[in-house]
Amino acid sequence: MGSRPAALILLLLAVPGSSSISFRPKTNMTPSGGSFGSRMAPWAAVGGGAVVGAIARYEISELAARAKVKPWGIAGINVAGSFVLGSVVASAPLSPASKLLIGTGFCGAFTTFSTFSVDALTMIEAGKMRMALQYMAINNIGGIGAAAVGMWLFSGGKRLK
């Protein structure tokens, strides 16, 4: 019981970069006072991306479980999702609808803070502190690093100099 408070503090400090990013495009997709149909366009973009992102996360998680590397599948998802979101944020040619579809919809459903948290806590409770710390580091450092690479690549090297 003595190591639990310290483990919980470590867990609270571990925030993966991929799932803590809130993305909103700088331009509005919906005209002011637009019709109900025009106001639905952003919802459709987010929803469509979310369906694909959630299914991709499920399939990758299942594949990782079958390969007996279960928690590491989520780490890979969070790092890959961070790269994709960093790329979307820095990609000027993408339309606001595309940014909603890929950034908010796909990346929002694909990456997961809740699964990351439960996996890390499960490792800590099982006495696998070293593995939990490695897992938290990969999610955080890998996620932030992947987002930075994506932003740099898709801004033509103009961001994050």
Side-chain angles (χ1 to χ4, degrees), residues 31 43 66 90 102:
W43 294 0
R66 284 192 300 275
I102 301 166

Side-chain angles (χ1 to χ4, degrees), residues 44-56:
V46 170
V51 166
V52 174
I55 291 169

Side-chain angles (χ1 to χ4, degrees), residues 103-125:
T104 304
F106 178 81
C107 290
F110 183 61
T111 61
T112 175
F113 180 72
S114 57
T115 304
F116 160 79
S117 300
V118 169
D119 285 346
L121 188 55
T122 300
M123 289 177 219
I124 291 167
E125 287 178 334

Side-chain angles (χ1 to χ4, degrees), residues 30-71:
T30 310
S32 295
S35 69
F36 180 73
S38 67
R39 290 192 315 266
M40 290 295 293
W43 294 0
V46 170
V51 166
V52 174
I55 291 169
R57 181 180 70 209
Y58 170 77
E59 289 298 330
I60 292 169
S61 293
E62 288 295 304
L63 180 65
R66 284 192 300 275
K68 301 197 185 323
V69 293
K70 187 176 191 268

Side-chain angles (χ1 to χ4, degrees), residues 7-106:
L8 289 174
I9 290 169
L10 284 172
L11 183 62
L12 290 173
L13 293 174
V15 178
S18 61
S19 54
S20 62
I21 295 172
S22 175
F23 176 76
R24 293 183 185 267
K26 292 181 182 173
T27 58
N28 189 355
M29 275 182 56
T30 310
S32 295
S35 69
F36 180 73
S38 67
R39 290 192 315 266
M40 290 295 293
W43 294 0
V46 170
V51 166
V52 174
I55 291 169
R57 181 180 70 209
Y58 170 77
E59 289 298 330
I60 292 169
S61 293
E62 288 295 304
L63 180 65
R66 284 192 300 275
K68 301 197 185 323
V69 293
K70 187 176 191 268
W72 302 107
I74 295 299
I77 286 168
N78 286 336
V79 171
S82 294
F83 174 79
V84 171
L85 187 56
S87 302
V88 167
V89 166
S91 186
L94 285 178
S95 70
S98 295
K99 289 184 176 189
L100 283 173
L101 176 89
I102 301 166
T104 304
F106 178 81

